[in-house]
């Protein structure tokens, strides 16, 4: 067997369920607290901060990027904790040096990005279980008595973090940023060590042998093997951020009708009561001015200060005119009013936020952007490249998302997990509409009940999705799940969806529509959705291509007030294989299938919210039915290795959007 963790705690049961270091509930302790009329998301006992600072540093704060070479070692026997791998003085000189961010799958896997499956099952891509990362750092001496956060943009699947040998927090979910308070663990001006323990569950008991048995978890999301690659390691950037003890944790915006509603979440990390002048600026180009408030905030307390700011010169954000503005909130100590008036003094803390003036709603069976009906011509996509796995560079993101704009698409579905913050920035600036998505893929009834009744990870991920992407004008839809089990008794399924929808709505001041990618066009919970979304493969997995149109009509008759979105449709082809449009696997067959479904969706543009092709690019998966292609699915508009374009790429690009 390949990549099997040998620790007894990681052995599967007879049912194929594996629980390694499982928690009683999700380990971030994600809760919502109403503060001054605004619901604030907390994790690890503090407001979840903004992660926009990853590449937009604030002048009032100090930063230390931890990207670079870290010491790395697999821990197949799960002996690292017992052997002190987390300790500051542990000797890691014999460990390998690996780049962070990076996906450990690419550390040593021959031909990972090729279609040659002759070595499928070899290398670090098939190493599961535990691994460790360690790095040394020396924060500036002036960081003493500051609020210091250790920010991870993504690591997974499960992560335990230690600073100088002391445990500071655990995280679950490989695609969601998280932040840990490490100020009382760091020693500014001295050598420090951060150690990160990471765990990935095996997908199968064998990747190359006959009759592989899937390995599942009762609590993880997704709970079992999926048809995309579960990249492991510290896959996105890591950085330290030092601010004043009284800080602006998060800004929330609602911009419409030339007014900006701005809510500033403040947090006092210190040990005494503090007073601050809070100054809100709607940003250049808006025609708005600065407004001030005074606030007193106790130790360990959070407060929300809200502003209603005129922005008379702001222009709407839309697909053709993606006007983006930058608001900011600054905190001043002492006689802040005089400092502002006289133009002197220093800012104690400041946070900026990117926003756009736009509205989005599902009304009368139509999806409306800025009061006009739109049709989403979209693609699903996976966040990966052959060269970098899930740890993509900006240049790779530009190339991938540049394909979307070249396709004349206006929409991307982030199937089925949150993306790197750069993706949302790109979409904001290029006028791409986004459906953000969760790790709730192929969740079975038992796992659904566990998530709703005790564990709470589905709800936690829904909350952080809506919180982290709250301000992006590009994000217009929240998706709650993909093809999960409805079951013979849909009560548990409905309760799960209702719980997540309530969570999202409770923190999204912009009240975006909620949907999901159902496996059925007759989902018994569609009445809960703002937009009906389902994956359809008529004429491929079942029935006939021509059955799509009548099905859409029937769903519309049952839910005439809800727009309908095809969240997935597509087929496969082997690149370079040509022939009849009736021959499965040819590029002509794949292209013809697309046109048949697109035409039926567009013909119903009055109530259709859009059509989303599966998939932008071929993608990696661990299911061994694709072993002959090195685990690559051929359902993309372009190939995985060199992004060569199939015939369907050009047909999709030429398809005319009826309501762009």
């Amino acid at each position: 067997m390949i990549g099997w963790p040998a620790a007894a705690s990681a052995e599967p049961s007879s049912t194929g369920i594996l629980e390694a270091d499982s928690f009683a509930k999700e380990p971030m302790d994600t809760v919502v607290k109403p503060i001054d009329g605004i619901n604030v998301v907390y994790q690890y006992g503090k407001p979840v901060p903004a992660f926009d600072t990853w590449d937009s540093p604030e002048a009032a704060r100090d930063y230390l990027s931890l990207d670079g070479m870290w010491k790395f070692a697999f821990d197949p026997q799960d002996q690292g904790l017992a052997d002190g791998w987390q300790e500051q003085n542990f000797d890691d000189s014999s460990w390998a040096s690996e780049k962070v961010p990076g996906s450990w799958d690419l550390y040593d896997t021959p031909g990972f990005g090729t279609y040659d499956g002759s070595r499928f099952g070899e290398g670090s891509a098939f190493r599961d279980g535990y691994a460790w990362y360690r790095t040394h750092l020396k924060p500036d001496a002036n960081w003493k008595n500051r609020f210091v956060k250790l920010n991870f943009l993504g690591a997974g699947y499960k992560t335990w973090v230690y600073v100088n040998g002391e445990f500071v927090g655990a995280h679950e979910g490989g695609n969601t940023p998280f932040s840990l308070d490490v100020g009382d663990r760091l020693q500014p001006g001295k050598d420090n060590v951060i150690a990160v323990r990471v765990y990935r569950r095996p997908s199968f008991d064998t990747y190359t042998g006959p009759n592989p048995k899937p390995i599942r978890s009762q609590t993880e999301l997704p709970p079992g093997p999926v048809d995309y690659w579960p990249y492991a390691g510290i896959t996105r950037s890591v950085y330290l951020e030092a601010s004043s003890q009284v800080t602006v944790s998060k800004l929330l915006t609602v911009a419409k009708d030339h007014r900006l509603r701005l809510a500033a979440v403040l947090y006092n990390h210190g040990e005494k009561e503090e007073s601050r002048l809070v100054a809100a600026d709607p940003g250049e180009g808006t025609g708005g001015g600065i407004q001030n408030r005074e606030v007193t905030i106790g130790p360990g307390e959070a407060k929300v200060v809200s502003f209603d700011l005129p922005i008379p010169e702001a222009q709407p954000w839309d697909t053709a005119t993606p006007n983006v503005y930058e608001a900011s909130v600054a905190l001043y100590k002492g006689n802040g009013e005089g400092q502002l008036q006289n133009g002197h003094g220093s800012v104690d803390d400041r946070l900026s936020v990117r926003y756009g003036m736009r509205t989005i709603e599902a009304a009368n069976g139509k999806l409306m952007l800025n009061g006009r009906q739109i049709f989403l011509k979209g693609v699903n996509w996976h966040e990966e490249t052959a060269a970098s796995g899930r740890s993509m560079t900006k240049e790779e993101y530009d190339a991938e998302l540049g394909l979307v704009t070249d396709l004349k698409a206006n929409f991307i579905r982030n199937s089925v997990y949150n993306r790197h913050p750069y993706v949302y920035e790109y979409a904001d600036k290029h006028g791409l509409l986004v459906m953000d998505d969760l790790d709730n893929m192929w969740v079975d009834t038992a796992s659904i009940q566990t998530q709703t009744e005790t564990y709470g990870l589905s709800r936690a991920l829904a909350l952080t999705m809506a919180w982290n992407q709250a301000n992006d004008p590009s994000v217009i839809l929240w998706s709650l799940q993909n093809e999960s089990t409805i079951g013979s008794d849909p009560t548990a399924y409905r309760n799960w969806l209702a719980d997540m929808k309530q969570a999202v709505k409770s923190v999204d001041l912009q009240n975006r529509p909620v949907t999901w990618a159902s496996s059925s066009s007759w989902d018994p919970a569609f009445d809960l959705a703002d937009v009906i979304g389902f994956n359809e493969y008529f004429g491929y997995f079942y029935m006939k291509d021509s059955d799509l149109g009548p099905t859409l009509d029937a769903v519309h008759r049952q839910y005439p007030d809800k727009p309908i979105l095809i969240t997935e449709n597509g087929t496969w082809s082997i690149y370079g294989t040509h022939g009849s449009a009736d021959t499965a696997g040819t590029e002509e067959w794949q292209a013809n299938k697309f046109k048949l479904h697109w035409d039926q969706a567009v013909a119903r543009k009055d109530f259709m919210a859009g059509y989303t092709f599966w998939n932008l690019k071929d993608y990696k998966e661990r299911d061994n039915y694709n072993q002959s292609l090195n685990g690559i699915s051929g359902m993309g508009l372009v190939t995985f290795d060199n992004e060569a374009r199939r015939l369907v790429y050009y047909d999709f690009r030429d398809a005319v959007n009826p309501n762009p």
Side-chain angles (χ1 to χ4, degrees), residues 30 85 113 159 300 346 413 461 491 499 552 586 597 607 623:
T30 310
W85 290 12
T159 309
S346 61
R413 175 190 169 207
L461 294 179
T491 301
D499 181 55
L552 294 173
T586 65
H597 289 243
F607 62 81
D623 283 345

Side-chain angles (χ1 to χ4, degrees), residues 541-562:
F541 289 133
Y542 45 77
M543 301 173 68
K544 298 180 295 184
D545 297 292
S546 58
D547 289 322
L548 172 60
T551 300
L552 294 173
D553 292 336
V555 175
H556 175 60
R557 284 193 297 270
Q558 186 168 355
Y559 302 100
D561 61 333
K562 296 180 185 290

Side-chain angles (χ1 to χ4, degrees), residues 1-2 17 29 48 50 64 161 263 283 328 337 428 525 560 642:
M1 278 180 286
I2 295 172
I17 294 176
D29 191 22
V48 176
L64 180 61
V161 180
S328 64
E337 188 72 43
D428 290 344
N642 60 3

Side-chain angles (χ1 to χ4, degrees), residues 416-418 436-440 458 461-462 465 479-480 500:
V416 283
Y417 44 85
N418 293 175
D436 217 13
D437 215 336
L438 292 178
D439 304 68
N440 290 320
S458 288
L461 294 179
M465 172 181 70
S479 177
L480 302 181
M500 288 187 290

Side-chain angles (χ1 to χ4, degrees), residues 294-361:
E294 292 184 356
V295 64
T296 299
I297 183 168
E301 184 181 14
K303 285 196 172 182
V304 178
V305 183
S306 296
F307 300 86
D308 185 3
L309 301 163
I311 48 174
E313 297 176 12
Q315 298 300 306
W317 185 97
D318 211 318
T319 52
T321 56
N323 296 296
V324 178
Y325 300 98
E326 186 174 274
S328 64
V329 167
L331 304 183
Y332 293 84
K333 282 185 177 180
N335 186 17
E337 188 72 43
Q339 291 177 1
L340 285 179
Q341 291 176 350
N342 299 326
H344 61 80
S346 61
V347 175
D348 189 45
D349 190 40
R350 184 195 301 270
L351 184 65
S352 302
V353 63
R354 184 181 63 256
Y355 72 97
M357 187 175 69
R358 66 104 180 89
T359 61
I360 183 71
E361 61 178 337

Side-chain angles (χ1 to χ4, degrees), residues 73-115:
F74 284 108
D75 185 10
Q77 304 299 323
D78 188 22
Q79 291 296 310
L81 275 176
D83 292 344
W85 290 12
Q86 74 277 19
E87 297 298 335
Q88 186 174 13
N89 60 357
F90 176 77
D91 182 6
D92 58 20
S93 59
S94 64
W95 289 17
S97 294
E98 299 289 356
K99 185 180 179 182
V100 169
S103 303
W104 87 39
D105 307 83
L106 275 73
Y107 286 172
D108 181 23
T109 302
F112 179 83
T114 73
Y115 288 80

Side-chain angles (χ1 to χ4, degrees), residues 355-546:
Y355 72 97
M357 187 175 69
R358 66 104 180 89
T359 61
I360 183 71
E361 61 178 337
N364 301 317
K366 304 180 189 303
L367 186 62
M368 311 290 287
L369 175 66
N370 296 330
R372 64 179 177 84
Q373 184 183 7
I374 56 169
F375 187 93
L376 304 175
K377 177 187 177 182
V379 292
N380 291 270
W381 74 297
H382 276 303
E383 186 181 41
E384 63 179 347
T385 63
S388 303
R390 186 142 301 150
S391 307
M392 294 169 59
T393 65
K394 279 187 177 182
E395 293 75 18
E396 287 175 317
Y397 281 116
D398 289 344
E400 298 271 302
L401 297 172
L403 290 172
V404 179
T405 57
D406 181 69
L407 285 162
K408 299 182 174 61
N410 63 357
F411 175 62
I412 54 175
R413 175 190 169 207
N414 285 342
S415 51
V416 283
Y417 44 85
N418 293 175
R419 297 307 195 260
H420 189 289
Y422 183 69
V423 172
Y424 306 99
E425 295 177 20
Y426 184 101
D428 290 344
K429 295 175 181 177
H430 289 81
L432 283 176
L433 303 170
V434 175
M435 181 168 88
D436 217 13
D437 215 336
L438 292 178
D439 304 68
N440 290 320
M441 180 170 178
W442 296 353
V443 187
D444 62 316
T445 298
S447 295
I448 283 173
Q449 291 173 327
T450 297
Q451 291 298 335
T452 307
E453 296 170 7
T454 59
Y455 200 69
L457 182 57
S458 288
R459 181 180 177 85
L461 294 179
L463 282 168
T464 51
M465 172 181 70
W467 183 256
N468 291 335
Q469 280 73 254
N471 300 302
D472 294 286
S474 60
V475 178
I476 61 165
L477 291 169
W478 305 120
S479 177
L480 302 181
Q481 66 92 3
N482 180 82
E483 295 184 354
S484 295
T485 302
I486 295 170
S488 57
D489 179 0
T491 301
Y493 176 73
R494 288 179 58 87
N495 290 343
W496 180 55
L497 291 168
D499 181 55
M500 288 187 290
K501 180 179 179 180
Q502 187 279 329
V504 165
K505 293 287 189 178
S506 73
V507 298
D508 179 19
L509 299 181
Q510 297 184 18
N511 194 30
R512 296 167 177 88
V514 170
T515 187
W516 57 86
S518 180
S519 60
S520 172
S521 52
W522 301 109
D523 191 307
F526 274 158
D527 60 297
L528 300 177
D530 300 316
V531 173
I532 290 176
F534 58 85
N535 301 342
E536 62 87 4
Y537 291 94
F538 288 100
Y540 179 21
F541 289 133
Y542 45 77
M543 301 173 68
K544 298 180 295 184
D545 297 292
S546 58

Side-chain angles (χ1 to χ4, degrees), residues 198-242:
V198 180
Y199 173 81
R200 174 172 67 186
R201 182 189 76 246
S203 299
F204 300 93
D205 65 346
T206 175
Y207 292 110
T208 57
N211 302 315
K213 296 178 181 178
I215 303 301
R216 302 184 62 82
S217 166
Q218 190 74 10
T219 57
E220 291 187 10
L221 293 172
V226 289
D227 67 344
Y228 63 88
W229 200 273
Y231 292 96
I234 304 178
T235 55
R236 297 179 185 153
S237 290
V238 188
Y239 65 102
L240 286 163
E241 181 176 24

